[in-house]
Amino acid sequence: MSLGAIQKMIDRVSHALVPHYEAIATLARHATVGYIDETPWYCRNTLQWLWTLSTKTVALYLIHPHRSKEAFAALIEEWQGLLVSDGYGVYQNWVNHRQTCLAHLIRTARGLSEKRDPHLAACGKWALTELQTLCHMAKAPPTGGQWRAWYARFCHLIDRYHERSDDAGRLARRLQREMASLWVFLREQGVEPTNNRAERALRFAVMWRKCSSGTESDKGNRWVERSLSLRQTCRQLGQAIFSVLVDAVTSSFQGRRPDLAWLY
């Protein structure tokens, strides 16, 4: 097969996936809880960003030239659910409830605990222990007494270090700033304490980028968005992707609406 023939096949499949991509986008933007993350993507060797809005059932992808508030708005459109994300500044201005990723904070605390400076290491170990304890509460909810004891220790940690100008102070101020978003998963059912769901959704895309070095056109970007959205959504729903692809392409050739029942 020639390169031109392969490209035509990709174009036809990409066009056939439009109804599936639109349906996935609609479901993602009406979900109660959304996990959002982004990773670099390259188009014509120019840095762009691949975003994902993942839920328990579907995963939506979007490639945008920027890592910005504008890109975030293009991804979510009118969605107003509960956001689970890392500490990126754009996410911190979310008007609704937001759960910050505890795994990111735990990694920061672990790095601090490995410092040679004993004061920094002590702060890191303390923060690491308390954040891991908080994360474990997702599977073993605390009693009232356990929660009050943990909260008192956590506040003492922040009070002790937040005025320092070093890494310990920066971590304490970050924890203080994120306070309202640290334990939303304990109040809201179906919310996870980490953004691992979105990070998992990006892993295959990262491997694709490393092998292909990105895309060469906007048309290529649309192919990546649609194929990734279909692939990950099928994985999450336990649906065989081949049968969905066959129906999508057949429906496109026959000029009829594809079967989208598997999404619901």
Side-chain angles (χ1 to χ4, degrees), residues 31-89:
T32 304
V33 183
Y35 301 77
I36 293 184
D37 205 358
E38 73 290 329
T39 190
W41 187 267
Y42 295 92
C43 182
R44 305 184 191 92
N45 294 320
T46 300
L47 176 62
Q48 297 194 0
W49 293 87
L50 175 65
W51 296 71
T52 184
L53 168 58
S54 299
T55 72
K56 286 189 174 181
T57 56
V58 301
L60 173 67
Y61 295 80
L62 175 74
I63 296 177
H64 196 277
H66 306 294
R67 183 176 185 245
S68 63
K69 184 177 180 180
E70 176 188 1
F72 179 50
L75 174 70
I76 66 171
E77 292 190 352
E78 301 300 321
W79 180 72
Q80 296 182 349
L82 195 155
L83 171 63
V84 183
S85 70
D86 57 28
Y88 179 38

Side-chain angles (χ1 to χ4, degrees), residues 96-145:
N96 297 316
H97 291 307
R98 182 179 76 87
Q99 170 64 49
T100 194
C101 179
L102 295 186
H104 282 77
L105 295 172
I106 287 172
R107 285 197 289 268
T108 300
R110 180 174 287 110
L112 191 62
S113 71
E114 296 171 353
K115 296 286 187 180
R116 292 185 177 181
D117 186 311
H119 298 290
L120 296 181
C123 175
K125 291 177 182 177
W126 195 352
L128 178 61
T129 298
E130 300 305 339
L131 289 170
Q132 287 177 330
T133 299
L134 176 61
C135 196
H136 291 157
M137 290 179 186
K139 295 183 178 180
T143 63

Side-chain angles (χ1 to χ4, degrees), residues 129-201:
T129 298
E130 300 305 339
L131 289 170
Q132 287 177 330
T133 299
L134 176 61
C135 196
H136 291 157
M137 290 179 186
K139 295 183 178 180
T143 63
Q146 290 172 332
W147 173 254
R148 286 190 293 272
W150 179 89
Y151 186 77
R153 295 195 307 269
F154 189 73
C155 290
H156 182 59
L157 166 68
I158 293 176
D159 290 340
R160 180 171 180 177
Y161 291 101
H162 84 280
E163 292 185 355
R164 294 174 65 103
S165 59
D166 54 14
D167 289 343
R170 281 186 282 274
L171 175 59
R173 289 189 293 275
R174 181 180 176 185
L175 293 174
Q176 187 176 42
R177 184 172 62 251
E178 297 269 18
M179 185 82 79
S181 302
L182 290 178
W183 46 77
V184 173
F185 69 93
L186 292 176
R187 303 195 309 265
E188 302 289 341
Q189 187 175 7
V191 179
E192 298 171 12
T194 73
N195 198 30
N196 186 251
R197 183 179 295 275
E199 292 181 342
R200 290 199 310 269

Side-chain angles (χ1 to χ4, degrees), residues 228-241:
L228 284 177
S229 296
L230 182 67
R231 176 188 182 275
Q232 184 62 26
T233 297
C234 284
R235 285 174 60 87
Q236 292 181 194
L237 293 176
Q239 173 72 36
I241 190 171

